[in-house]
Amino acid sequence: MPVLQKLHNLRSLYLNDRSYIGSSMVCSKGGFPQLLVLKMPFLFNLEELILEEQALQKLVELEI
């Protein structure tokens, strides 16, 4: 996530099963500045999503 959230032109992100195996995910301050869609429907190990200030500011669709 630290690398992905710095991709300034990323507008859509789909995380499927086994693409993220941690139990906690952090979107840092100012992360994903242009992201509109974030989908992660099959991350069964994910227990916590932490959004810091000014992260995902343009997000219009979220699927967990």
Side-chain angles (χ1 to χ4, degrees):
M1 292 305 279
V3 173
L4 288 175
Q5 64 188 348
K6 293 179 183 175
L7 296 174
H8 294 286
N9 294 320
L10 187 65
R11 302 200 187 279
S12 177
L13 180 60
Y14 182 83
L15 299 174
N16 205 347
D17 186 29
R18 297 187 189 134
S19 60
Y20 189 86
I21 56 173
S23 62
S24 180
M25 181 184 292
V26 178
C27 295
S28 300
K29 182 177 179 175
F32 298 107
Q34 299 298 320
L35 196 70
L36 299 172
V37 177
L38 176 58
K39 294 186 177 186
M40 40 190 185
F42 300 107
L43 300 184
F44 300 114
N45 292 331
L46 187 64
E47 296 176 8
E48 180 179 41
L49 176 61
I50 300 169
L51 301 177
E52 294 183 354
E53 244 181 86
Q54 300 175 347
L56 300 165
Q57 286 188 323
K58 295 189 177 184
L59 194 70
V60 295
E61 184 177 348
L62 174 65
E63 182 180 335
I64 301 175

